[in-house]
């Protein structure tokens, strides 16, 4: 199972919006609405930001939103803030009762 | 609130095995799958497998099959991940993560493999 493909880095200015893509295949992202997104600050454990493609856990800012089209899922951060600077990973259920993570994207707030 | 508390850092020699524990609290342990994920220094997240704490059923990533064993002790709400035949590339932070509408993570356990 190959890792899902994410851009290595994305940057934006405060208050701007950015979108991170996560490209898989018809065996994972394209077949299941089980894509989740995680934020990871340096030296910390990942934190759940989005689950089941579009759902936001309690306590996560509504500036974070998710979507999916065919084999590509996306995470959008609107109203970018300094605290959003972190690494972001997507994750998808994959055929064969397995899971696969994305390659990770470093978000920089300019 | 949900808490996953992992065992402390380990240093192992190449060829040895390591067993990491993950004690759950704040929910019914047998109600949710437990996943194990690792992260090598400066690298991304890598899914290793899951265990169903209720039945003990497991599913492992192909890469780790034959080397990883996931178990649980329901009497103390604890999951375990044992990795054998360690090599230097196994040096990583190992996380347990509960699956319920996405993954909720433990604090991580650093495993260092030295030759």
């Amino acid at each position: 199972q190959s890792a899902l493909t994410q851009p290595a880095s994305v940057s934006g200015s405060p208050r701007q919006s950015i979108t991170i893509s996560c490209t898989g295949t018809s065996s994972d992202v394209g077949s299941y609405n089980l894509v989740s997104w995680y934020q990871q600050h340096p030296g910390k454990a990942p934190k759940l930001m989005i689950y089941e493609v579009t759902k936001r856990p309690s306590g996560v800012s509504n500036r974070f939103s998710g979507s999916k089209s065919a084999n590509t899922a996306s995470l959008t951060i609107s109203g970018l803030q300094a605290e959003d600077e972190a690494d972001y990973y997507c994750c998808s259920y994959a055929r064969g009762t397995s899971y696969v993570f994305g390659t990770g994207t470093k978000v920089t707030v300019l | 609130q949900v808490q996953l508390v992992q065992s402390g850092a380990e240093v192992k020699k190449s060829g040895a095995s390591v067993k990491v524990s993950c004690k759950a609290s704040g929910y019914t342990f047998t109600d949710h799958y437990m996943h194990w994920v690792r992260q090598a220094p400066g690298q991304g997240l890598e899914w290793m497998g899951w265990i169903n704490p209720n039945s003990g059923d497991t599913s492992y990533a192909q890469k780790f099959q034959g080397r990883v064993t996931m178990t649980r002790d329901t009497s103390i709400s604890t999951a375990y991940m044992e990795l054998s035949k360690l090599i230097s590339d196994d040096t990583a932070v190992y996380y347990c993560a509960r699956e319920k509408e996405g993954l909720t993570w433990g604090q991580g356990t650093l495993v260092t493999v030295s030759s």
Side-chain angles (χ1 to χ4, degrees):
Chain A
Q1 185 69 45
S2 299
L4 308 175
T5 300
Q6 299 180 231
S9 62
V10 173
S11 61
S13 299
R15 296 177 298 282
Q16 281 189 329
S17 292
I18 61 169
T19 296
I20 302 167
S21 61
C22 169
T23 301
T25 69
S26 57
S27 294
D28 39 64
V29 175
S31 287
Y32 307 98
N33 288 325
L34 291 173
V35 176
S36 51
W37 288 90
Y38 301 90
Q39 176 193 66
Q40 187 180 35
H41 287 110
K44 300 295 187 182
K47 174 188 175 184
L48 175 66
M49 305 303 285
I50 294 288
Y51 67 97
E52 293 174 12
V53 179
T54 61
K55 298 177 182 178
R56 208 169 37 246
S58 172
V60 171
S61 171
N62 59 9
R63 297 185 298 104
F64 291 84
S65 61
S67 62
K68 190 185 86 166
S69 176
N71 295 340
T72 298
S74 298
L75 174 71
T76 297
I77 310 174
S78 57
L80 200 60
Q81 299 180 1
E83 69 209 50
D84 301 331
E85 188 161 293
D87 293 327
Y88 291 82
Y89 294 90
C90 60
C91 178
S92 175
Y93 178 80
R95 196 164 295 158
T97 69
S98 70
Y99 285 76
V100 60
F101 281 94
T103 49
T105 298
K106 181 177 180 60
V107 168
T108 301
V109 181
L110 301 172
Chain B
Q1 76 283 18
V2 173
Q3 269 200 305
L4 301 174
V5 178
Q6 299 184 222
S7 48
E10 303 260 15
V11 179
K12 296 291 184 182
K13 293 283 192 184
S14 293
S17 298
V18 67
K19 191 170 186 177
V20 179
S21 68
C22 171
K23 182 169 178 60
S25 61
Y27 71 99
T28 302
F29 177 65
T30 50
D31 280 355
H32 303 286
Y33 284 24
M34 191 73 78
H35 294 249
W36 290 88
V37 178
R38 77 177 187 180
Q39 186 172 37
Q43 302 301 309
L45 301 172
E46 182 174 32
W47 183 78
M48 299 181 69
W50 54 252
I51 181 168
N52 177 342
N54 186 45
S55 65
D57 289 345
T58 56
S59 177
Y60 303 141
Q62 193 167 8
K63 174 178 179 175
F64 299 102
Q65 293 209 5
R67 259 200 333 135
V68 71
T69 304
M70 296 177 189
T71 57
R72 90 291 190 215
D73 184 338
T74 57
S75 68
I76 55 172
S77 299
T78 299
Y80 303 92
M81 186 285 300
E82 184 170 20
L83 189 62
S84 63
K85 303 173 189 173
L86 292 169
I87 60 175
S88 57
D89 285 353
D90 292 320
T91 293
V93 175
Y94 289 77
Y95 293 100
C96 62
R98 181 197 77 156
E99 180 186 344
K100 177 181 186 288
E101 298 171 345
L103 298 177
T104 302
W105 303 66
Q107 86 276 18
T109 296
L110 175 62
V111 175
T112 303
V113 182
S114 65
S115 51

